[in-house]
Amino acid sequence: MTEKEKMLAGEIYSATDPELIAELQTTREIIYDYNALRPSETLKMKTILRKLLGHIGDDQIIINQPFHCDYGTQIRVGKRFFANFNLTILDEAPVTIGDDCFIGPNVSIYTACHSTDPVERNSRREWALPVTIGHNVWIGGSVTILPGVTIGDNVTIGAGSVVVSDIPSGSIAVGNPCKIIKGNGSR
């Protein structure tokens, strides 16, 4: 398997692989162009997003600049998607976002995982776990979503939360670590 195939399969791979580095560089060039557009150039923005992202549900997509991602091709968004300023998605694994989702400013979604052992970490070997966000989800500002998390449908994640584990459908969750305060699984 190539290092990219390993990455996409969720296996340990070398993050310094030349093929992966070249793809990251290509994506950074596209992102640079996207972030340099004037806010009035919405048609150009949508054209770039259609080229960059793995799937877009419809043309009612808005991702306010600046936007950052690693590959783009691993990101799938549903219909009527809105993301505010400074969305960062590290998409070494799939990031799937459903219909009618709203993402506040300064949100980060991570799929890349690194060893806690310094020697292993310094080898630049890593793995990735997918993130899935359901339909009708609102993610407040400055939320961080960690690798492997699934957020169900009809969920609200409060501002500043760090989502470290799955959040079931119909919940309101807040905090660091993010805990359910209303809905399924609340106490």
Side-chain angles (χ1 to χ4, degrees):
M1 291 178 85
T2 66
E3 296 303 305
K4 181 176 181 176
E5 290 169 337
K6 291 176 190 175
M7 180 184 82
L8 296 176
E11 296 180 13
I12 295 174
Y13 66 94
S14 172
T16 59
D17 176 69
E19 177 187 6
L20 293 176
I21 297 297
E23 281 192 48
L24 289 168
Q25 185 63 30
T26 298
T27 301
R28 286 187 180 111
E29 294 289 336
I30 295 168
I31 291 291
Y32 179 89
D33 292 343
Y34 180 82
N35 289 330
L37 290 172
R38 300 182 62 77
S40 59
E41 296 179 288
T42 56
L43 289 178
K44 287 182 182 178
M45 287 181 189
K46 289 178 183 181
T47 299
I48 289 173
L49 290 174
R50 276 193 294 277
K51 175 183 170 186
L52 177 67
L53 303 183
H55 172 80
I56 295 174
D58 62 21
D59 275 345
Q60 295 181 39
I61 182 174
I62 297 171
I63 300 178
N64 284 333
Q65 303 140 302
F67 166 60
H68 302 281
C69 65
D70 276 343
Y71 295 95
T73 55
Q74 297 284 83
I75 302 169
R76 301 177 58 82
V77 298
K79 297 176 184 173
R80 298 170 298 278
F81 177 72
F82 174 82
N84 218 322
F85 308 104
N86 293 313
L87 173 62
T88 298
I89 302 177
L90 304 185
D91 61 313
E92 281 69 18
V95 174
T96 305
I97 302 171
D99 297 340
D100 297 301
C101 288
F102 296 86
I103 295 182
N106 303 309
V107 168
S108 297
I109 302 171
Y110 305 142
T111 65
C113 302
H114 307 277
S115 176
T116 57
D117 176 85
V119 173
E120 287 179 31
R121 186 171 52 245
N122 289 339
S123 75
R124 305 301 192 261
R125 298 186 60 72
E126 58 188 56
W127 66 99
L129 299 172
V131 170
T132 303
I133 299 170
H135 302 295
N136 304 307
V137 174
W138 177 21
I139 298 173
S142 299
V143 167
T144 299
I145 301 171
L146 295 185
V149 166
T150 295
I151 297 172
D153 298 334
N154 307 307
V155 169
T156 299
I157 305 292
S161 296
V162 178
V163 186
V164 299
S165 60
D166 294 353
I167 305 295
S169 294
S171 299
I172 298 173
V174 299
N176 180 4
C178 193
K179 302 268 189 219
I180 299 163
I181 60 167
K182 185 176 180 183
N184 294 325
S186 66
R187 298 177 194 262

